[in-house]
Amino acid sequence: MTAIAANPYDYQLPTESKIALVIIDMQRDFLEYGGFGDALGNDVTQLQSIVPTVKKLLETFRSLNLPVIHTIEAHSPDLSDCPPSKLNRGQGNPKIGDQGTMGRILIVGEDGNNIIPELTPLENEIVIIKPGKGAFCRTNLEEILQKEEITHLLFTGVTTEVCVQTTMREANDRGYECLLIEDGTASYFPKFKQSTIEMLRAQGGIIGWTANSDAVLAALVPQAIAIA
Ligand code: TIU
């Protein structure tokens, strides 16, 4: 069995079941001006640095014919899937559903809700539209993972301490073997990213593992050669 050099110890890749790359919310709403992240007062440039790494991982998974799961945080145009607690949280103005420079903020189908062009999903890739921070909340993600016999999830995306961490915790509780790719995730607050990495892998990997993308790629590519 191949292993990824990870923290707090090696992460074993499965031989019988499948591994998937999960790319959380790499949508314009979070990475560009005029979206939800910007509306909340965040510096969106913090998130842009991981794009080349996520792209490289995406291309590797595609070349190995391994499953890729993209998520998008989005609400229906009538906001019926957005609880008042989420809509009214903070004192943000504009807020979810308001008109931004890329269309209505965090609304499905609007320009700002699209995944950034560098990471546009292919037809055969899974795209989970999620109304919450976690990708298992009010979605069919668990059903899809079971059907596809996916047991191991490698996480990338934004933001580390919000949607990425929430989803990784949800997945861990459901029995998935989770690894966070450290240089494939970002936060508007670098210290929150670092804390998240440390807390997820503490206590012997209480939520899962963390590793650098180089370690992930080094483990995956020889396996592909072996399969071929
Ligand atoms: N605000 C923030 O850090 N994140 C979110 O609202 N959503 C995600 O993390 N995707």
Side-chain angles (χ1 to χ4, degrees):
M1 190 188 279
T2 313
I4 296 173
N7 265 305
Y9 53 89
D10 283 359
Y11 176 91
Q12 302 295 332
L13 290 174
T15 45
E16 305 279 306
S17 51
K18 278 193 254 174
I19 186 163
L21 178 68
V22 184
I23 305 178
I24 304 276
D25 299 359
M26 289 293 283
Q27 57 201 76
R28 300 180 69 197
D29 276 315
F30 294 112
L31 282 98
E32 296 184 16
Y33 293 105
F36 186 54
D38 184 31
L40 293 173
N42 296 304
D43 172 12
V44 294
T45 62
Q46 286 287 340
L47 307 192
Q48 291 163 8
S49 63
I50 64 165
V51 173
T53 303
V54 179
K55 189 171 159 61
K56 193 171 174 185
L57 288 160
L58 175 61
E59 284 168 356
T60 303
F61 268 71
R62 283 175 177 167
S63 71
L64 300 178
N65 274 323
L66 288 170
V68 177
I69 300 164
H70 304 258
T71 72
I72 299 176
E73 185 174 343
H75 294 281
S76 60
D78 66 2
L79 295 174
S80 57
D81 56 3
C82 185
S85 61
K86 184 175 183 184
L87 193 57
N88 299 323
R89 186 66 54 84
Q91 295 170 321
N93 189 18
K95 56 186 186 178
I96 298 169
D98 286 351
Q99 198 67 35
T101 56
M102 298 185 289
R104 292 181 67 203
I105 292 171
L106 227 61
I107 299 298
V108 74
E110 298 285 336
D111 285 348
N113 205 231
N114 287 330
I115 290 174
I116 58 168
E118 295 91 329
L119 306 174
T120 300
L122 296 179
E123 288 275 307
N124 64 331
E125 289 169 356
I126 299 156
V127 180
I128 301 288
I129 306 288
K130 62 184 185 61
K133 301 306 179 191
F136 288 85
C137 178
R138 284 172 281 150
T139 71
N140 61 349
L141 178 55
E142 191 168 13
E143 201 181 301
I144 290 171
L145 295 176
Q146 285 171 358
K147 186 162 156 263
E148 299 293 325
E149 299 183 332
I150 294 166
T151 54
H152 287 59
L153 300 173
L154 301 191
F155 286 92
T156 61
V158 298
T159 61
T160 316
E161 78 281 13
V162 183
C163 293
V164 177
Q165 173 168 216
T166 304
T167 304
M168 188 162 156
R169 287 175 181 274
E170 288 179 326
N172 181 58
D173 275 352
R174 286 167 173 79
Y176 295 94
E177 302 282 12
C178 300
L179 179 142
L180 174 62
I181 303 176
E182 295 178 28
D183 51 336
T185 184
S187 168
Y188 299 117
F189 311 96
K191 67 178 182 185
F192 288 173
K193 169 178 169 173
Q194 192 52 37
S195 300
T196 302
I197 287 169
E198 288 170 24
M199 71 176 79
L200 292 174
R201 69 186 182 203
Q203 303 180 66
I206 193 80
I207 307 298
W209 286 258
T210 77
N212 203 269
S213 62
D214 285 345
V216 173
L217 294 169
L220 285 179
V221 175
Q223 193 187 45
I225 293 164
I227 291 165

